[in-house]
Amino acid sequence: MIEAYALTDVGKTRSINQDYVYCTGKPVGKLPNLFIVADGMGGHKAGDLASKFSVQTFVEQVRSAKSDNPITVISDAIKYTNGKLVELAATSPDYTGMGTTFVAATIIGRSVYVANVGDSRLYILSDELRQVTRDHSLVEEMVTNGTIAREEARTHERKNVITRAIGGAEEVMADFFEVELGKDEIILMCSDGLSNMVEDGQIASVLSSRREISDKARNLVDLANEHGGKDNISLIIIES
């Protein structure tokens, strides 16, 4: 039995929420459940439209997909969504630079299938919190090539520069992961408004507590805001 809870918050400094989440434990097309976090970017109107449009377009494509392979379903829907967002961006100068991060997951049996573009993340908590997705960001590339240490990445001045996004180019390449879930493991999906504001240890402490799933979600949002709330904060917690 899957229990999931989603929450999004504008944060302390932004006037508009450019994040968008989708969370259902019920079937969507041939997928038995579907969870998405998207973090939009662009001008005042473009960022929130990009995330909402992309999630809604993606969900529509998943509903109509014919394949039984979850990776094929998700991959095809991401490619289609990217093309549609590129088309939308071309319709108005206000939409120049429109794009969105995107992390999507579905759980089939004890396996979670994950796709990500950008720096919104999926974590799994077992004995410790581990990040499954890999950020498509400038600072992640700098960590990988040894330019900066991992500890510097969270506070680096260019930490918000991402290298891949839905709508960022005519074609997009998502990363895919399949992970076998262990007993009592917890999934967290989030935008960088949470991961940049709250240390992994604090996140793990909240997720491993015996509180209701909704209380855990609210606690994490509150922590992000207490630590500055410099961005929109969105998350999905999944317990199975």
Side-chain angles (χ1 to χ4, degrees), residues 180-200:
E180 193 74 15
L181 291 172
K183 189 176 185 299
D184 298 326
E185 289 187 332
I186 298 171
I187 296 169
L188 171 70
M189 301 167 66
C190 67
S191 62
D192 65 347
L194 177 66
S195 56
N196 282 340
M197 293 288 104
V198 186
E199 297 282 351
D200 286 3

Side-chain angles (χ1 to χ4, degrees), residues 79-90:
K79 291 174 183 176
Y80 179 85
T81 299
N82 183 75
K84 287 298 179 181
L85 190 61
V86 169
E87 289 178 10
L88 179 62

Side-chain angles (χ1 to χ4, degrees), residues 175-231:
D175 287 345
F176 291 90
F177 308 87
E178 179 184 351
V179 182
E180 193 74 15
L181 291 172
K183 189 176 185 299
D184 298 326
E185 289 187 332
I186 298 171
I187 296 169
L188 171 70
M189 301 167 66
C190 67
S191 62
D192 65 347
L194 177 66
S195 56
N196 282 340
M197 293 288 104
V198 186
E199 297 282 351
D200 286 3
Q202 287 183 294
I203 293 174
S205 179
V206 172
L207 291 178
S208 60
S209 68
R210 294 186 177 277
R211 283 171 285 183
E212 293 291 328
I213 193 170
S214 58
D215 292 336
K216 294 179 186 182
R218 173 47 60 188
N219 192 185
L220 288 173
V221 168
D222 288 345
L223 281 171
N225 279 322
E226 288 168 12
H227 294 171
K230 295 179 180 178
D231 201 350

Side-chain angles (χ1 to χ4, degrees), residues 56-66 73 76-77 80-81:
Q56 292 179 340
T57 302
F58 177 89
V59 171
E60 288 172 7
Q61 282 302 110
V62 169
R63 282 202 180 103
S64 62
K66 306 301 182 189
V73 171
D76 289 350
Y80 179 85
T81 299

Side-chain angles (χ1 to χ4, degrees), residues 27 39 50 55 57 65 69 77 81 89 91 99 102 104 143 150 156 159 170 177 179 199-200 214 216 239:
D39 179 357
V55 171
T57 302
N69 185 310
T81 299
T91 64
F102 202 89
V143 169
R150 173 66 64 188
H156 195 277
K159 67 179 181 294
E170 292 291 333
F177 308 87
V179 182
E199 297 282 351
D200 286 3
S214 58
K216 294 179 186 182
E239 299 178 350

Side-chain angles (χ1 to χ4, degrees), residues 2 30-33 68-70 106-113:
I2 292 174
K30 294 191 175 182
L31 300 183
N33 46 67
D68 292 316
N69 185 310
T106 187
I107 300 170
I108 302 176
R110 295 306 300 170
S111 294
V112 56
Y113 297 86

